[in-house]
Amino acid sequence: MILHLKNNITEAEVNQIAEAHEGLQFFDAKRWVVVTSSSQKKPLKEWEHHIEEYFETETDIQLAGKKYLNQTRSVKWNSIEIGGNGFSTAMMAGPCAVENESQIMESAEFIASLGIKTFRAGAFKPRTSPYTFQGLGLKGLELLDKVRNKYGLSIITEIKNLSHAQQVLDVADIIQIGAKAMYDVSVLELCGASQKPVLIKRGFGTTLQEFVQAAEFVLCKGNPNVILCERGIRTFETKTRFTFDLCGAAYLKYHTNLPVVLDPSHAMGYSYGVPDLAKASMAFGCDGILIEVHPNPAKAKSDASQQLDFATFKKLMNDLQIIGGAVGKKLV
Ligand code: PEP
Ligand code: MN
């Protein structure tokens, strides 16, 4: 249950109301909000005079649910806005990782030359093996800052764990929380204390309920700027890296109030399938598409098999614009 409290209330009273309902409280820029377990259906009688409005929720999809807010939230960074009116699909493109200065600058120059505004690349890479490239770390963040200053691109980059979370928050325009880090409540809570957009990737063994609950950890700390990203889940199939769960994405689009971004690159794992899946994503009407692009994919230090080369990506951008026109979406 979600309670909107009346404005003429003291913080001490807010705390008492939260405690009495065994819930937690945050200020959402307009009012105090108390969120309780979904098993509670009605506010307690003795506090009714402080309650403006309340919302029953069936499951622990609460602040993220359409029962609470029956429209997609608008999320903004620099000149870009997604969600809200629903007409924009943001392209988030760039290499898997920042590898060195020339690779990242060459990538950024190419992405900017296509009119794309949002550049992706990881400085802290959550790798499966400890013996592979783990990212440039803080040096990578410095290079991303340089990219922003030189090309005016917005930066989306990932927090792998708490050790560097504040540094990423300082540099990124959008924080990415990866498929593995999405269970790290301390990272989610820290992002909740910021107002920066946070893109949460679905873990590959994560149910839709658990995925949205990760978003709830950010939302209930007072950051409404949360984006969900489907990037493939693990099934019995091994011919592709993961299985792109468009059914899950349709569920999220219908049942939640959060913008949905699709990531065909990590789902497919092989560059040959990425353009087709990206086109399907555009036709799907998602709020953003995340694609890995590299100046020389064969030489990439991570995710080499799935990154698109420049020529393929350029052609894809053209196709996506055409598909966007057909489904009433503008690529931004
Ligand atoms: C990435 O975006 O490069 C990445 C590591 O993604 P995921 O967390 O989805 O594996
Ligand atoms: Mn990657």
Side-chain angles (χ1 to χ4, degrees):
M1 177 177 64
I2 301 167
L3 309 175
H4 280 181
L5 305 186
K6 288 186 181 162
N7 273 331
N8 56 344
I9 195 163
T10 66
E11 215 166 320
E13 286 168 324
V14 175
N15 295 340
Q16 282 174 302
I17 294 171
E19 204 175 314
H21 290 86
E22 294 180 35
L24 48 84
Q25 70 276 36
F26 68 95
F27 193 77
D28 80 351
K30 287 198 193 113
R31 62 179 83 78
W32 282 100
V33 180
V34 170
V35 190
T36 77
S37 142
S38 55
S39 59
Q40 290 195 37
K41 300 297 174 205
K42 282 212 176 329
L44 298 171
K45 271 247 167 312
E46 62 265 41
W47 294 106
E48 262 174 2
H49 58 290
H50 278 306
I51 292 161
E52 182 80 56
E53 209 179 351
Y54 71 94
F55 306 82
E56 265 186 56
T57 48
E58 273 158 24
T59 68
D60 282 332
I61 296 179
Q62 303 209 68
L63 295 165
K66 281 262 169 67
K67 286 231 157 92
Y68 175 53
L69 189 63
N70 192 22
Q71 65 189 57
T72 305
R73 291 169 188 255
S74 132
V75 177
K76 298 180 190 151
W77 59 93
N78 302 321
S79 62
I80 303 292
E81 176 175 3
I82 60 170
N85 67 21
F87 301 126
S88 296
T89 300
M91 175 52 71
M92 303 168 172
C96 180
V98 186
E99 297 175 6
N100 55 59
E101 181 153 1
S102 66
Q103 170 255 10
I104 208 67
M105 289 299 163
E106 191 183 345
S107 304
E109 185 173 333
F110 170 68
I111 293 301
S113 77
L114 300 179
I116 294 168
K117 306 283 187 227
T118 311
F119 185 70
R120 66 140 286 142
F124 296 91
K125 297 305 302 175
R127 304 305 302 284
T128 304
S129 163
Y131 309 118
T132 54
F133 178 62
Q134 305 291 307
L136 292 185
L138 293 179
K139 173 74 190 149
L141 284 185
E142 270 172 39
L143 291 172
L144 288 172
D145 210 25
K146 215 163 160 182
V147 161
R148 187 210 343 268
N149 294 334
K150 185 155 182 204
Y151 297 104
L153 289 162
S154 297
I155 304 294
I156 169 165
T157 191
E158 58 203 284
I159 292 180
K160 184 165 83 171
N161 60 45
L162 218 46
S163 70
H164 51 263
Q166 194 54 54
Q167 288 94 327
V168 174
L169 272 162
D170 292 344
V171 168
D173 297 283
I174 306 171
I175 314 299
Q176 177 174 321
I177 302 181
K180 292 171 184 147
M182 63 144 278
Y183 284 108
D184 189 334
V185 168
S186 52
V187 169
L188 295 168
E189 287 181 341
L190 191 80
C191 291
S194 156
Q195 288 293 300
K196 282 203 175 165
V198 183
L199 177 139
I200 307 177
K201 289 186 150 202
R202 181 181 180 188
F204 42 76
T206 301
T207 65
L208 294 165
Q209 174 79 24
E210 289 164 348
F211 184 26
V212 183
Q213 279 169 308
E216 295 277 341
F217 271 102
V218 179
L219 294 167
C220 75
K221 286 283 168 192
N223 186 350
N225 302 305
V226 180
I227 303 165
L228 300 174
C229 177
E230 159 60 29
R231 47 75 74 210
I233 54 172
R234 180 151 287 157
T235 64
F236 54 83
E237 188 52 73
T238 56
K239 296 290 188 206
T240 59
R241 190 178 182 194
F242 294 101
T243 295
F244 200 23
D245 186 13
L246 288 182
C247 296
Y251 172 92
L252 297 170
K253 188 173 165 184
Y254 185 76
H255 287 280
T256 81
N257 56 42
L258 302 176
V260 175
V261 165
L262 295 172
D263 170 0
S265 296
H266 290 85
M268 183 70 201
Y270 299 100
S271 56
Y272 73 83
V274 172
D276 286 346
L277 293 175
K279 287 185 262 183
S281 302
M282 193 73 205
F284 177 96
C286 60
D287 299 292
I289 305 180
L290 196 150
I291 307 257
E292 288 191 341
V293 190
H294 192 283
N296 185 353
K299 288 263 156 28
K301 291 188 172 184
S302 58
D303 288 348
S305 63
Q306 71 199 30
Q307 305 205 51
L308 299 186
D309 60 35
F310 288 180
T312 308
F313 182 72
K314 192 170 176 181
K315 159 96 177 54
L316 173 62
M317 278 299 289
N318 193 49
D319 292 346
L320 293 181
Q321 266 140 4
I322 295 168
I323 295 168
V327 299
K329 282 276 190 181
K330 189 169 183 307
L331 205 54
V332 295

